[in-house]
């Protein structure tokens, strides 16, 4: 798809995206391509970004993948789910087993380990007071269900007096005001909202094309070769669970058996914990995802 083709889709492209709405991935936490909003000591943050359209060779401005993040006796399980690829996933199968056991306690464990939806899109940073050097640059942005719901609401408005808007459209889209709060220890995006409809760079094709050519491909984030194998995921899952499928927290030894080092979090554990905190999103998928998978 050329830049000219992309512009021609400006008026009709939203119909294709709506179909996709009705319709996993490896993230490198040191990947400089990703933009991360900064939060203050209170957990608050603010920035203005612009979601960008699909690049040449791709037909959607976002990719979606599923993941699991939870702690067990053997550490953290932070993995992308093969359900993203339409295949069986060991954590998904175990959650189904727990959910269908008939035990409310097992259901609660399954809830703690529920799969989470993640999305990646290209964005242009419009305003980032915490890191002004990012302004005017193209980045990848990983976000969750809450922000994606706001995108859907813009494309599929609830009320008839509201016109559908494609927020990824450089000419007819709109900026997104990202407003972050920390509520109950979790990152919350409820107050985030789209601004009024306005062309990027006043509709200047030359500037828009320059930005468009700086965007990153998204296909790698859902490429099968970038997912761990079923066997590797299963091995890691049972390492984390420590042989107990219901284990949800590190096993504690008696105080007389513990030394000073036992009260300190190991660097690797801290690193994994930060990954979970960075990824923390507002929502966890409904329990309908725990239907028993076919053998």
């Amino acid at each position: 798809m050329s830049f000219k083709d992309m512009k021609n889709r400006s008026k009709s492209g939203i119909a294709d995206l709506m179909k996709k709405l009705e319709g996993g991935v490896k993230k490198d936490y040191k990947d400089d391509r990703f933009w991360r909003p900064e939060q203050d000591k209170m957990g608050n943050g603010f920035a203005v970004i612009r979601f960008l359209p699909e690049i040449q060779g791709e037909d959607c401005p976002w990719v979606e993948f599923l993941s699991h993040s939870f702690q067990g006796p053997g550490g953290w399980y932070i993995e992308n789910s093969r359900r993203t690829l339409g295949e069986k996933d060991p954590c998904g199968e175990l959650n189904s087993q727990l959910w269908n056991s008939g035990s409310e306690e097992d259901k609660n464990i399954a809830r703690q380990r529920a799969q989470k939806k993640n999305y990646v899109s290209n964005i242009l940073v419009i305003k980032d007071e915490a890191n002004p050097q990012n302004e005017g640059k193209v980045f990848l942005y990983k976000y969750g269900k809450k922000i994606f719901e706001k995108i859907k609401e813009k494309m599929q408005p609830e009320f008839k007096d509201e016109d559908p808007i494609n927020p990824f459209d450089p000419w007819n889209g709109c900026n997104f005001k990202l407003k972050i709060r920390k509520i109950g220890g979790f990152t919350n995006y409820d107050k985030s909202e789209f601004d009024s409809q306005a062309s990027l760079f006043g509709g200047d094709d030359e500037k828009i094309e320059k930005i468009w050519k700086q965007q990153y491909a998204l296909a790698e984030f859902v490429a099968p070769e970038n997912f761990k194998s079923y066997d590797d995921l299963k091995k890691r899952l049972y390492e984390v669970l420590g042989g107990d499928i219901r284990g949800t927290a590190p096993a504690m030894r008696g105080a007389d058996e513990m030394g000073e080092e036992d009260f300190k979090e190991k660097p690797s554990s801290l690193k994994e914990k930060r990954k979970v905190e960075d990824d923390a999103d507002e929502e966890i998928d409904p329990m309908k995802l725990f239907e028993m998978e076919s053998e």
Side-chain angles (χ1 to χ4, degrees):
M1 180 182 65
S2 67
F3 177 77
K4 183 178 179 180
D5 292 333
M6 189 271 289
K7 183 177 181 180
N8 288 337
R9 290 183 57 184
S10 176
K11 295 182 179 179
S12 60
I14 191 170
D16 294 333
L17 294 184
M18 284 181 173
K19 291 179 181 178
K20 294 182 185 298
L21 289 176
E22 296 167 0
V25 181
K26 287 205 170 193
K27 175 184 172 182
D28 182 352
Y29 287 83
K30 296 180 180 179
D31 193 336
D32 291 335
R33 297 176 301 168
F34 280 91
W35 174 79
R36 300 171 184 83
E38 191 167 316
Q39 296 168 251
D40 61 24
K41 293 180 180 180
M42 299 298 293
N44 298 322
F46 176 79
V48 180
I49 61 176
R50 180 80 173 219
F51 288 100
L52 298 173
E54 62 275 17
I55 67 168
Q56 186 170 1
E58 297 185 348
D59 61 2
C60 187
W62 72 80
V63 287
E64 174 187 326
F65 61 96
L66 306 172
S67 66
H68 296 275
S69 300
F70 61 87
Q71 188 178 22
W76 287 93
Y77 185 84
I78 307 170
E79 303 291 348
N80 296 312
S81 172
R82 293 193 67 84
R83 278 182 166 177
T84 303
L85 308 175
E87 300 178 6
K88 293 181 179 180
D89 180 83
C91 190
E93 290 178 323
L94 182 56
N95 278 348
S96 295
Q97 179 182 336
L98 292 168
W99 186 258
N100 289 288
S101 72
S103 164
E104 192 60 36
E105 182 179 353
D106 285 354
K107 286 186 177 182
N108 287 334
I109 294 173
R111 288 189 180 98
Q112 295 173 28
R113 302 174 185 170
Q115 70 183 25
K116 168 189 166 185
K117 288 186 178 180
N118 309 270
Y119 303 87
V120 176
S121 291
N122 281 284
I123 63 164
L124 176 67
V125 176
I126 305 296
K127 188 177 184 64
D128 184 352
E129 292 183 347
N131 295 285
Q133 69 274 13
N134 292 331
E135 295 177 2
K137 295 181 181 179
V138 173
F139 291 93
L140 290 170
Y141 179 47
K142 179 177 178 289
Y143 52 101
K145 182 180 177 182
K146 178 66 70 174
I147 291 177
F148 191 69
E149 286 296 325
K150 291 181 179 293
I151 292 173
K152 287 176 62 177
E153 289 169 5
K154 204 66 180 174
M155 292 193 289
Q156 298 175 329
E158 182 178 359
F159 301 101
K160 294 182 179 180
D161 65 337
E162 299 177 8
D163 294 326
I165 293 175
N166 175 8
F168 298 92
D169 190 308
W171 295 274
N172 301 297
C174 40
N175 293 341
F176 185 68
K177 295 186 287 188
L178 188 66
K179 300 178 180 180
I180 308 171
R181 296 177 297 163
K182 187 73 76 173
I183 299 180
F186 293 93
T187 305
N188 183 279
Y189 300 94
D190 285 346
K191 288 187 175 295
S192 298
E193 60 183 347
F194 281 100
D195 208 340
S196 302
Q197 192 172 10
S199 296
L200 189 60
F201 304 126
D204 187 317
D205 284 2
E206 185 175 343
K207 291 183 179 180
I208 292 173
E209 183 175 13
K210 183 178 179 180
I211 290 296
W212 182 66
K213 288 181 176 179
Q214 295 175 31
Q215 293 178 214
Y216 302 98
L218 302 178
E220 66 175 279
F221 298 101
V222 289
E225 61 268 23
N226 287 332
F227 285 75
K228 289 185 180 179
S229 70
Y230 178 94
D231 289 340
D232 286 346
L233 288 172
K234 186 173 183 179
K235 179 182 178 182
R236 178 57 185 163
L237 177 62
Y238 280 88
E239 286 175 351
V240 168
L241 296 179
D244 178 7
I245 66 171
R246 293 173 176 79
T248 56
M252 293 294 291
R253 291 178 284 147
D256 57 339
E257 300 177 55
M258 301 176 72
E260 183 179 350
E261 66 276 11
D262 292 306
F263 294 92
K264 296 179 180 178
E265 249 182 316
K266 295 181 175 59
S268 59
S269 175
L270 284 169
K271 182 178 179 181
E272 289 182 322
K273 185 175 182 181
R274 279 194 291 269
K275 288 181 182 180
V276 174
E277 291 171 346
D278 286 345
D279 273 352
D281 198 46
E282 331 70 40
E283 302 285 346
I284 292 179
D285 278 357
M287 292 302 106
K288 65 180 180 180
L289 295 170
F290 293 140
E291 295 177 358
M292 185 67 74
E293 296 185 356
S294 58
E295 295 297 329

